[in-house]
Amino acid sequence: MKRKQFKAESKRLLDLMINSIYTHREIFLRELISNASDAIDKMYYKSLTENTGISRDDFFIRITADKETRTLAIADNGVGMTKEELESNLGTIARSGSLNFKQESGEKARDEIDIIGQFGVGFYASFMVSCNVRVVSRAYGEEQAWEWESAGTEGYDIRETDKDSVGTEVILTIKENTEDETYNEFLEAYRIRGLVKRYSDYIRYPIKMNFEKQRKVDAPEEKKKDGEPEYEKYIEEETLNSMVPLWKRGKNEITAAEYNEFYRDKFSDYVDPLRTIHTSVEGVISYDALLYIPAKQPYDYHTKEYEKGLQLYSSGVLIMDKCPDLLPDCFSFMKGLVDSQDLSLNISREMLQHDRQLKAISSRIEKKIRAELLEMLNKDREKYGEFFKNFGLQLKFGIYNDFGIKKELLEDLIMFYSSNEKKLTTLSEYLSRMSAEQKYIYYAAGESVDKLDKQPQTELLKDKGYEILYLTDDVDEFALRVLDQYKEKPFKSVSGNDLGIEESEEEKKEAERAAKSNKKLLSAVKEALGDKVSQVKLSQRLKSHPVCLASGEGLSIEMEKVLNAMPTEEKVKAERILEINANHPVFAALQEVYASDREKIKTYAELLYDQALLIEGLPVEDPVAFSNAICGLMETK
Ligand code: ADP
């Protein structure tokens, strides 16, 4: 018999297949099982339309591994292939019988069955691990069986053979181990079980395999050697796959314990998730999603090693373990999976051809997560607090990143500590407590709530009873700057140059008068400090404290600290405005010195400035001079 050649282009394609299309060799098994499942689907479809004498429960896929002959066989009792089909389906690479079947069968079949194959290349993945492949097949309605055999690019043979029942058996002769590559693993029953669990757990027909096990023999006492129990080997058949994916079952049928166990098992966590989201969407793109909010931060969450993403299934077959495109960065902590029949996969089923579909799914998932978080926020504040402790930072980064592209998605989900409520509050809650005269949402940024609570800059606002948000994470002020406003109420820093509080005519006049009468003194202080400050002025916001720093329009002093702590070479500097409290006794002392001892103004100015720096948590520029100046003052007393 003459060996048949693969079609010329097929030859090159086969070479490509074997060497480069797939990144993981192990997926050959997924491909063969998917083919078997497709063949059974076709048979099942036939049994719906004609009397085949087969019921759905009769279908199975069987895997047999034999180390001695180095063969791994995958058998199914699906439709099988005729001689012509073996030729055309396996002799021409990139020809998919399944795709034809789908096209020919029309709408009805498409709804009832759910065939996986469509590219006509999956089968050839076998050559990545095999030196020889035999396909023994008997088609439904035929008596004669046929065998197709190939050792790779050289071509294939087809010959008559015997087979008792309808169906197909693919028998791989697994390659020998080489120095760099191991293939023996594909003959290990336990490894095969792992691969089935990983890639084909939700194939809807049982995937069976025999396992050799040991058990104690219940032998009479006298027969036992040396009183030791005897063991015997026996074979047990196991079904390797779960068949029905959890997410395909009705929500009412699934218990919380099942959801949780699935999560711990699939996503390797040792604690139950904080919340489970299970949703099915029907539409232009239909999908099921099972999502989890972890109760704890993954241990590597803040490292470069952490990979965000959801598992992506296409009709129950795992396509990608961590599909990053399904999750925006702000929700990178989410775990879970998406299963859709509507994805157009590319040849290797590894990446997707059109990310338009993924984008559509991703944007719906994003909204769903937001809605669930909002519900938790409104109905179970304590739980939301736990969530926020773990992942709030991610949400705030989400607002800041990409110039605020996700700000609408996230602005209702963030919380800050409230000066009045003494706990975390949302922006919308802040707004609901705002008085009619208050025009801005005020915030103070700093190291800790304790320190912020004592900040001199907040005195006037507190006096008025205005609520202040205390921002203690580095990203906070940057995020609010990106937000700019919330429901048309702009944000304002308590350390900004202008607090935006309207003064009465009388207050205005009084301020102007004080500024005018102290103009020379203030210029003298400014002159003494030189470039360190851009302005020296009398403060409207201080009540009991003598001095503070305010910043100009651009960077705030807190932002300066955050940016300068980053490992960039260029250091930034916020504009500094020194504010002095005209009603403080120290100001009177300053006036006195100005009148009597002009020389001392420099010392006083520097001392005031250094104190303002210390209050801000900034280092004084010359600590020795600062100490000497203080001692000098102490000695004169
Ligand atoms: P695909 O599954 O993407 O169509 P394959 O290269 O894996 O591509 O298979 C080519 C064709 O061979 C399939 O479409 C199907 O018609 C046929 N085939 C493969 N395996 C089997 C099988 N176990 N039983 C029946 N037909 C099969």
Side-chain angles (χ1 to χ4, degrees):
M1 190 175 57
K2 193 168 167 284
R3 166 157 300 176
K4 301 200 180 175
Q5 296 290 310
F6 286 111
K7 302 261 161 61
E9 60 277 30
S10 296
K11 237 173 146 165
R12 279 188 33 222
L13 204 53
L14 182 56
D15 213 43
L16 191 75
M17 278 294 313
I18 300 174
N19 298 309
S20 49
I21 284 190
Y22 296 103
T23 36
H24 302 291
R25 265 198 239 118
E26 63 192 29
I27 58 79
F28 77 92
L29 189 63
R30 169 188 79 185
E31 297 297 324
L32 294 180
I33 290 173
S34 293
N35 281 351
S37 164
D38 283 352
I40 295 177
D41 272 337
K42 290 172 199 165
M43 191 66 195
Y44 177 55
Y45 178 64
K46 275 199 199 305
S47 61
L48 290 176
T49 50
E50 53 196 271
N51 184 11
T52 57
I54 306 177
S55 81
R56 200 178 188 288
D57 296 339
D58 298 332
F59 292 118
F60 65 87
I61 296 165
R62 174 178 298 285
I63 305 182
T64 319
D66 184 337
K67 284 185 192 163
E68 259 158 49
T69 54
R70 289 193 75 78
T71 52
L72 179 70
I74 294 94
D76 64 70
N77 54 355
V79 277
M81 283 176 275
T82 60
K83 182 183 181 209
E84 292 69 36
E85 282 166 341
L86 277 171
E87 286 248 4
S88 63
N89 291 339
L90 307 186
T92 321
I93 299 174
R95 179 193 162 97
S96 170
S98 290
L99 186 62
N100 289 350
F101 181 86
K102 264 200 252 190
Q103 281 162 350
E104 283 159 16
S105 316
E107 274 305 313
K108 190 164 174 292
R110 243 168 303 183
D111 287 348
E112 274 163 24
I113 56 172
D114 182 12
I115 282 181
I116 305 159
Q118 54 178 322
F119 293 107
V121 293
F123 170 77
Y124 300 95
S126 326
F127 287 104
M128 293 190 295
V129 297
S130 323
C131 49
N132 186 280
V133 178
R134 279 195 304 134
V135 182
V136 176
S137 194
R138 186 174 137 196
Y140 172 68
E142 303 259 326
E143 285 306 317
Q144 183 61 57
W146 293 89
E147 178 174 300
W148 178 102
E149 182 171 16
S150 170
T153 37
E154 289 315 304
Y156 60 92
D157 297 317
I158 288 194
R159 57 182 85 91
E160 278 185 16
T161 188
D162 293 326
K163 191 172 186 309
D164 293 343
S165 54
V166 171
T168 303
E169 184 166 24
V170 179
I171 304 141
L172 313 177
T173 306
I174 299 294
K175 289 182 189 173
E176 294 285 347
N177 272 3
T178 65
E179 250 173 46
D180 318 315
E181 317 269 6
T182 64
Y183 296 99
N184 291 355
E185 56 181 305
F186 301 120
L187 293 164
E188 296 293 344
Y190 294 94
R191 172 80 168 124
I192 299 293
R193 171 158 57 195
L195 290 179
V196 171
K197 271 269 163 226
R198 180 168 169 76
Y199 292 106
S200 313
D201 201 30
Y202 308 115
I203 291 288
R204 285 155 302 158
Y205 307 102
I207 303 171
K208 298 180 178 183
M209 187 161 174
N210 285 345
F211 281 81
E212 195 181 274
K213 300 192 173 174
Q214 267 195 353
R215 66 181 158 208
K216 251 193 239 168
V217 186
D218 266 339
E221 276 311 309
E222 64 272 20
K223 278 198 184 164
K224 282 189 184 170
K225 291 174 207 151
D226 315 327
E228 288 294 313
E230 263 189 69
Y231 289 92
E232 65 177 3
K233 287 190 173 153
Y234 70 103
I235 300 290
E236 191 173 278
E237 183 184 88
E238 274 185 29
T239 296
L240 306 180
N241 54 334
S242 330
M243 290 189 272
V244 182
L246 183 72
W247 61 90
K248 286 282 185 196
R249 285 165 48 195
K251 273 191 239 178
N252 316 340
E253 293 168 27
I254 310 171
T255 62
E258 280 180 294
Y259 277 129
N260 290 348
E261 193 189 316
F262 182 82
Y263 166 77
R264 291 196 315 266
D265 193 41
K266 265 243 142 70
F267 303 104
S268 326
D269 202 345
Y270 59 97
V271 285
D272 287 341
L274 194 65
R275 196 180 173 94
T276 302
I277 307 168
H278 185 184
T279 162
S280 297
V281 174
E282 302 266 328
V284 189
I285 292 194
S286 303
Y287 64 87
D288 299 291
L290 180 53
L291 311 171
Y292 293 97
I293 303 174
K296 299 241 175 307
Q297 267 187 21
Y299 71 96
D300 59 349
Y301 190 52
H302 290 295
T303 69
K304 269 201 212 106
E305 278 67 49
Y306 183 81
E307 274 180 75
K308 67 158 185 172
L310 298 176
Q311 287 193 329
L312 182 63
Y313 286 83
S314 166
S315 308
V317 178
L318 179 66
I319 302 301
M320 209 178 191
D321 201 26
K322 282 199 176 130
C323 179
D325 297 349
L326 285 171
L327 276 183
D329 283 341
C330 56
F331 295 147
S332 63
F333 47 83
M334 294 295 294
K335 302 277 174 193
L337 57 92
V338 171
D339 186 0
S340 173
Q341 299 176 18
D342 298 337
L343 298 169
S344 33
L345 303 179
N346 75 0
I347 261 189
S348 59
R349 301 198 207 199
E350 282 174 352
M351 290 158 300
L352 297 160
Q353 249 161 2
H354 304 289
D355 65 353
R356 198 165 37 86
Q357 295 157 313
L358 272 190
K359 280 217 179 81
I361 297 181
S362 154
S363 97
R364 296 198 62 158
I365 284 189
E366 188 175 292
K367 291 197 185 84
K368 179 73 186 166
I369 297 173
R370 174 183 187 270
E372 292 278 331
L373 287 173
L374 265 187
E375 194 187 286
M376 188 153 93
L377 174 70
N378 293 324
K379 297 204 176 136
D380 192 345
R381 193 51 174 269
E382 206 179 313
K383 219 173 185 189
Y384 191 79
E386 273 177 57
F387 158 76
F388 198 76
K389 201 169 75 201
N390 284 325
F391 303 115
L393 198 59
Q394 194 64 21
L395 302 186
K396 294 187 285 188
F397 268 109
I399 288 180
Y400 172 70
N401 284 341
D402 297 325
F403 312 102
I405 203 168
K406 299 278 182 217
K407 64 183 180 185
E408 264 132 59
L409 184 78
L410 300 170
E411 62 183 3
D412 288 316
L413 298 175
I414 53 171
M415 303 197 286
F416 298 102
Y417 186 91
S418 151
S419 60
N420 291 3
E421 300 294 304
K422 310 279 179 227
K423 60 178 187 193
L424 291 178
T425 192
T426 65
L427 296 176
S428 129
E429 288 162 348
Y430 181 105
L431 233 57
S432 71
R433 290 187 291 260
M434 242 166 108
S435 65
E437 50 149 39
Q438 190 184 332
K439 292 205 198 95
Y440 300 96
I441 301 175
Y442 290 102
Y443 68 84
E447 205 180 300
S448 67
V449 166
D450 270 0
K451 284 192 179 163
L452 287 171
D453 219 24
K454 293 180 197 145
Q455 255 198 352
Q457 287 95 330
T458 61
E459 281 197 300
L460 172 68
L461 294 170
K462 280 198 180 148
D463 228 38
K464 286 185 164 294
Y466 287 1
E467 187 173 344
I468 304 165
L469 299 174
Y470 289 163
L471 317 189
T472 50
D473 282 320
D474 284 354
V475 68
D476 290 353
E477 194 172 3
F478 292 86
L480 290 197
R481 291 271 181 125
V482 167
L483 271 185
D484 188 43
Q485 53 178 13
Y486 176 75
K487 306 250 189 299
E488 292 174 6
K489 296 283 182 196
F491 293 102
K492 226 177 211 341
S493 162
V494 302
S495 317
N497 190 14
D498 171 23
L499 285 180
I501 290 174
E502 260 181 49
E503 296 166 310
S504 65
E505 281 306 312
E506 220 169 281
E507 282 168 329
K508 264 189 211 160
K509 274 201 187 127
E510 171 58 24
E512 275 167 27
R513 198 198 50 75
K516 212 169 167 192
S517 64
N518 290 300
K519 200 172 170 206
K520 285 190 176 147
L521 166 63
L522 295 173
S523 321
V525 175
K526 161 75 179 104
E527 204 176 308
L529 293 174
D531 287 346
K532 291 174 188 168
V533 295
S534 67
Q535 220 189 109
V536 176
K537 67 180 207 180
L538 293 182
S539 180
Q540 304 304 313
R541 77 188 92 203
L542 292 175
K543 292 277 159 186
S544 64
H545 290 82
V547 276
C548 74
L549 279 182
S551 45
E553 282 307 299
L555 280 186
S556 72
I557 290 169
E558 262 322 290
M559 291 165 95
E560 170 194 305
K561 281 196 235 166
V562 173
L563 292 174
N564 286 347
M566 290 181 186
T568 43
E569 276 174 26
E570 232 172 279
K571 296 294 171 202
V572 294
K573 192 154 188 198
E575 182 189 341
R576 289 154 161 70
I577 299 165
L578 185 70
E579 289 198 4
I580 309 178
N581 182 356
N583 300 318
H584 196 280
V586 155
F587 190 67
L590 194 66
Q591 282 174 319
E592 206 186 297
V593 164
Y594 183 64
S596 59
D597 185 355
R598 293 258 168 118
E599 281 307 298
K600 257 193 174 171
I601 271 291
K602 189 164 168 58
T603 314
Y604 271 48
E606 272 168 2
L607 269 176
L608 285 174
Y609 175 66
D610 282 349
Q611 289 178 67
L613 286 176
L614 287 173
I615 290 168
E616 280 306 310
L618 290 166
V620 293
E621 281 162 32
D622 187 345
V624 176
F626 176 70
S627 166
N628 287 343
I630 298 245
C631 290
L633 283 181
M634 289 167 86
E635 283 161 15
T636 55
K637 281 277 161 187

Coordinates of all heavy atoms in Angstrom, one line a residue, residues 31-32 34-40 42 74-76 78-81 85-86 88-90 92-101 115-125 135 137 167-170 349, ligand 1:
E31 N -7.3 18.7 23.5 CA -7.8 18.7 22.1 C -8.4 17.4 21.8 O -9.5 17.3 21.1 CB -6.6 19.0 21.2 CG -6.0 20.4 21.4 CD -7.0 21.5 21.2 OE1 -7.8 21.4 20.2 OE2 -7.0 22.5 21.9
L32 N -7.8 16.3 22.2 CA -8.3 14.9 21.8 C -9.6 14.7 22.5 O -10.6 14.1 22.0 CB -7.3 13.8 22.1 CG -6.0 13.9 21.2 CD1 -5.1 12.8 21.6 CD2 -6.4 13.8 19.7
S34 N -11.7 17.0 23.6 CA -12.7 17.9 22.9 C -13.2 17.2 21.7 O -14.4 17.3 21.4 CB -12.1 19.2 22.6 OG -11.9 19.9 23.8
N35 N -12.3 16.6 20.9 CA -12.8 15.9 19.6 C -13.7 14.8 20.0 O -14.7 14.6 19.3 CB -11.6 15.4 18.9 CG -10.8 16.4 18.1 OD1 -11.3 17.6 18.0 ND2 -9.7 16.1 17.6
A36 N -13.3 14.0 21.0 CA -14.2 12.9 21.4 C -15.6 13.3 21.8 O -16.6 12.8 21.4 CB -13.5 12.1 22.5
S37 N -15.5 14.4 22.6 CA -16.8 15.0 23.1 C -17.7 15.5 21.9 O -18.9 15.3 21.8 CB -16.5 16.1 24.1 OG -17.6 16.9 24.3
D38 N -17.0 16.1 20.9 CA -17.7 16.6 19.7 C -18.3 15.4 19.0 O -19.5 15.5 18.5 CB -16.8 17.3 18.8 CG -16.4 18.7 19.2 OD1 -17.0 19.2 20.2 OD2 -15.5 19.3 18.6
A39 N -17.6 14.3 18.9 CA -18.1 13.1 18.1 C -19.3 12.5 18.8 O -20.2 12.1 18.2 CB -16.9 12.1 18.0
I40 N -19.2 12.6 20.2 CA -20.4 12.0 20.9 C -21.6 13.0 20.8 O -22.7 12.5 20.6 CB -20.0 11.8 22.4 CG1 -18.9 10.8 22.5 CG2 -21.2 11.5 23.2 CD1 -18.4 10.5 23.9
K42 N -22.3 14.6 18.2 CA -22.9 14.4 16.9 C -23.7 13.1 16.9 O -24.8 13.1 16.3 CB -21.8 14.2 15.8 CG -21.0 15.5 15.5 CD -19.8 15.3 14.6 CE -18.9 16.5 14.7 NZ -17.6 16.2 14.2
I74 N -7.2 7.3 23.6 CA -8.4 8.0 24.0 C -9.5 7.5 23.1 O -9.5 7.6 21.9 CB -8.2 9.5 23.7 CG1 -7.2 10.1 24.7 CG2 -9.5 10.3 24.0 CD1 -5.8 10.1 24.2
A75 N -10.5 6.8 23.7 CA -11.5 6.2 22.9 C -12.9 6.8 23.2 O -13.1 7.3 24.3 CB -11.6 4.7 23.3
D76 N -13.7 6.9 22.2 CA -15.1 7.4 22.4 C -16.1 6.6 21.7 O -15.7 5.8 20.8 CB -15.1 8.9 21.9 CG -14.9 9.0 20.4 OD1 -15.8 8.6 19.7 OD2 -13.9 9.5 20.0
G78 N -18.6 7.9 20.0 CA -19.2 8.9 19.2 C -19.5 8.4 17.8 O -19.5 7.2 17.5
V79 N -19.7 9.4 16.8 CA -20.2 9.0 15.4 C -19.1 8.2 14.7 O -19.5 7.5 13.7 CB -20.5 10.2 14.5 CG1 -21.9 10.6 14.8 CG2 -19.5 11.3 14.6
G80 N -17.8 8.3 15.0 CA -16.8 7.7 14.2 C -16.6 8.3 12.9 O -17.2 9.3 12.6
M81 N -15.6 7.8 12.1 CA -15.3 8.4 10.8 C -15.3 7.3 9.7 O -14.8 6.2 10.0 CB -14.0 9.1 10.8 CG -14.1 10.4 11.5 SD -12.4 11.2 11.7 CE -11.8 10.5 13.1
E85 N -13.9 10.1 5.5 CA -13.8 11.2 6.6 C -12.4 11.2 7.2 O -11.8 12.2 7.5 CB -14.9 11.0 7.6 CG -16.2 11.5 7.1 CD -17.4 11.1 8.0 OE1 -17.2 10.1 8.7 OE2 -18.4 11.7 7.9
L86 N -11.8 10.0 7.4 CA -10.5 9.9 8.0 C -9.5 10.6 7.0 O -8.7 11.4 7.5 CB -10.0 8.4 8.1 CG -10.5 7.7 9.4 CD1 -10.2 6.2 9.2 CD2 -9.9 8.3 10.6
S88 N -10.2 12.9 4.7 CA -10.4 14.4 4.5 C -10.2 15.1 5.9 O -9.7 16.2 5.9 CB -11.7 14.7 3.9 OG -12.8 14.3 4.8
N89 N -10.6 14.5 7.0 CA -10.5 15.3 8.2 C -9.1 15.2 8.8 O -8.6 16.2 9.4 CB -11.5 14.7 9.3 CG -12.9 15.0 9.0 OD1 -13.2 15.9 8.2 ND2 -13.8 14.2 9.5
L90 N -8.5 14.1 8.7 CA -7.1 14.0 9.3 C -6.0 14.1 8.2 O -4.9 14.3 8.6 CB -7.0 12.7 10.1 CG -8.1 12.4 11.1 CD1 -7.7 11.1 11.9 CD2 -8.3 13.6 12.1
T92 N -6.1 16.3 5.8 CA -5.9 17.8 5.5 C -6.0 18.5 6.8 O -7.0 18.6 7.5 CB -7.1 18.3 4.6 OG1 -7.4 17.3 3.7 CG2 -6.7 19.6 3.9
I93 N -4.9 19.1 7.0 CA -4.8 19.9 8.2 C -5.6 21.2 8.0 O -5.8 21.7 6.9 CB -3.4 20.3 8.6 CG1 -2.6 19.0 8.8 CG2 -3.3 21.1 9.8 CD1 -1.2 19.1 9.0
A94 N -6.2 21.7 9.1 CA -7.0 22.9 9.1 C -8.3 22.6 8.3 O -8.9 23.5 7.7 CB -6.2 24.1 8.5
R95 N -8.7 21.4 8.3 CA -10.1 21.2 7.8 C -10.9 20.6 8.9 O -10.5 19.6 9.5 CB -10.0 20.1 6.6 CG -11.4 19.8 6.1 CD -11.4 18.6 5.2 NE -12.7 18.1 5.1 CZ -13.5 18.4 4.0 NH1 -13.0 19.1 3.1 NH2 -14.7 18.0 4.0
S96 N -11.9 21.3 9.3 CA -12.7 20.9 10.4 C -14.0 20.3 10.0 O -14.9 20.9 9.5 CB -12.9 22.1 11.4 OG -13.8 21.7 12.3
G97 N -14.1 19.0 10.3 CA -15.4 18.3 10.1 C -16.4 18.9 11.0 O -17.6 19.0 10.6
S98 N -16.0 19.3 12.1 CA -17.0 19.8 13.1 C -17.6 21.1 12.7 O -18.8 21.4 12.8 CB -16.3 20.0 14.5 OG -16.0 18.7 15.0
L99 N -16.7 21.9 12.0 CA -17.3 23.2 11.6 C -18.3 23.0 10.5 O -19.4 23.6 10.5 CB -16.1 24.1 11.1 CG -16.5 25.5 10.7 CD1 -17.1 26.3 11.9 CD2 -15.4 26.3 10.1
N100 N -18.0 22.0 9.5 CA -18.9 21.7 8.5 C -20.2 21.2 9.1 O -21.3 21.6 8.7 CB -18.3 20.6 7.6 CG -17.2 21.1 6.7 OD1 -17.0 22.3 6.7 ND2 -16.5 20.2 6.1
F101 N -20.1 20.3 10.1 CA -21.3 19.8 10.7 C -22.2 20.9 11.2 O -23.4 20.9 11.0 CB -20.8 18.8 11.8 CG -21.9 18.1 12.5 CD1 -22.5 16.9 12.0 CD2 -22.5 18.7 13.7 CE1 -23.5 16.3 12.7 CE2 -23.5 18.0 14.4 CZ -24.0 16.8 13.9
I115 N -20.8 22.2 20.0 CA -19.5 21.6 19.5 C -18.3 22.5 19.7 O -18.4 23.7 19.5 CB -19.7 21.1 18.1 CG1 -20.5 19.8 18.2 CG2 -18.4 20.9 17.3 CD1 -20.8 19.1 16.9
I116 N -17.2 21.9 20.1 CA -16.1 22.7 20.4 C -15.2 23.0 19.2 O -14.6 24.1 19.0 CB -15.3 22.0 21.5 CG1 -16.2 21.7 22.7 CG2 -14.1 22.8 22.0 CD1 -15.7 20.6 23.6
G117 N -14.9 21.9 18.4 CA -13.9 22.0 17.3 C -14.4 23.0 16.2 O -15.5 23.2 16.0
Q118 N -13.4 23.7 15.6 CA -13.8 24.5 14.5 C -12.6 24.9 13.6 O -12.8 25.3 12.5 CB -14.5 25.8 14.9 CG -13.7 26.5 16.0 CD -14.3 27.8 16.4 OE1 -14.9 28.5 15.6 NE2 -14.3 28.2 17.6
F119 N -11.4 24.6 14.0 CA -10.3 25.0 13.2 C -9.6 23.8 12.5 O -8.9 24.0 11.5 CB -9.2 25.6 14.1 CG -9.7 26.9 14.6 CD1 -10.0 27.0 16.0 CD2 -9.8 28.0 13.8 CE1 -10.4 28.2 16.5 CE2 -10.3 29.2 14.3 CZ -10.6 29.3 15.6
G120 N -9.9 22.6 12.9 CA -9.3 21.5 12.3 C -7.8 21.4 12.5 O -7.1 21.0 11.6
V121 N -7.3 21.8 13.6 CA -5.9 21.6 13.9 C -5.6 20.9 15.2 O -4.5 20.4 15.4 CB -5.1 23.0 13.9 CG1 -5.1 23.6 12.5 CG2 -5.7 23.9 14.9
G122 N -6.6 20.9 16.1 CA -6.4 20.3 17.4 C -5.8 19.0 17.5 O -4.9 18.7 18.2
F123 N -6.3 18.1 16.6 CA -5.8 16.7 16.5 C -4.3 16.6 16.4 O -3.6 15.8 16.9 CB -6.5 16.0 15.3 CG -6.0 14.7 15.0 CD1 -6.3 13.6 15.8 CD2 -5.1 14.5 13.9 CE1 -5.8 12.4 15.5 CE2 -4.6 13.3 13.6 CZ -4.9 12.2 14.4
Y124 N -3.7 17.5 15.6 CA -2.3 17.4 15.3 C -1.4 17.8 16.5 O -0.2 17.5 16.5 CB -2.0 18.3 14.1 CG -2.7 17.8 12.9 CD1 -3.9 18.4 12.5 CD2 -2.3 16.7 12.2 CE1 -4.7 17.9 11.5 CE2 -3.0 16.2 11.1 CZ -4.2 16.8 10.8 OH -5.0 16.3 9.8
A125 N -2.1 18.4 17.5 CA -1.3 18.6 18.7 C -0.7 17.3 19.3 O 0.3 17.3 20.0 CB -2.2 19.3 19.8
V135 N -5.4 6.1 14.4 CA -6.8 6.4 14.7 C -7.6 5.3 14.2 O -7.6 5.0 13.0 CB -7.2 7.7 14.0 CG1 -8.6 8.0 14.4 CG2 -6.3 8.9 14.5
S137 N -11.2 3.8 13.7 CA -12.6 4.4 13.7 C -13.6 3.6 12.9 O -13.3 3.0 11.8 CB -12.5 5.8 13.2 OG -13.7 6.5 13.6
G167 N -17.4 4.2 16.8 CA -16.7 5.1 17.6 C -15.3 5.2 17.2 O -14.9 4.6 16.1
T168 N -14.5 5.9 17.9 CA -13.1 6.2 17.5 C -12.1 6.0 18.7 O -12.5 6.3 19.8 CB -12.9 7.7 17.0 OG1 -13.9 7.9 16.0 CG2 -11.5 8.0 16.6
E169 N -11.0 5.4 18.3 CA -9.9 5.3 19.3 C -8.7 5.9 18.8 O -8.2 5.6 17.7 CB -9.7 3.9 19.7 CG -8.7 3.7 20.8 CD -8.6 2.3 21.5 OE1 -9.0 1.4 20.8 OE2 -8.2 2.3 22.7
V170 N -8.1 6.9 19.5 CA -6.9 7.5 19.0 C -5.8 7.0 19.9 O -5.8 7.1 21.2 CB -6.9 9.1 19.2 CG1 -5.6 9.7 18.8 CG2 -8.1 9.6 18.4
R349 N -6.5 28.2 20.5 CA -7.4 28.4 21.6 C -6.7 29.1 22.8 O -7.2 28.9 23.9 CB -8.0 27.1 22.1 CG -8.7 26.3 21.1 CD -9.5 25.3 21.8 NE -9.7 24.1 21.0 CZ -10.6 23.2 21.1 NH1 -11.4 23.4 22.1 NH2 -10.7 22.2 20.3
Ligands
ADP1 P1 -11.4 20.5 15.0 O1 -11.7 19.6 16.2 O2 -11.0 21.9 15.4 O3 -12.4 20.4 14.0 P2 -9.3 18.5 14.6 O4 -8.0 18.6 13.8 O5 -9.0 18.3 16.0 O6 -10.1 19.9 14.4 O7 -10.1 17.4 14.0 C1 -10.5 17.4 12.6 C2 -11.7 16.7 12.4 O8 -11.6 15.3 12.5 C3 -12.9 17.1 13.3 O9 -13.5 18.2 12.9 C4 -13.7 15.8 13.2 O10 -14.6 15.9 12.1 C5 -12.7 14.8 13.0 N1 -12.4 14.0 14.2 C6 -11.4 14.2 15.0 N2 -11.4 13.4 16.1 C7 -12.6 12.7 16.0 C8 -13.2 11.6 16.8 N3 -12.7 11.2 17.9 N4 -14.3 11.1 16.3 C9 -14.9 11.5 15.2 N5 -14.4 12.5 14.4 C10 -13.2 13.1 14.8

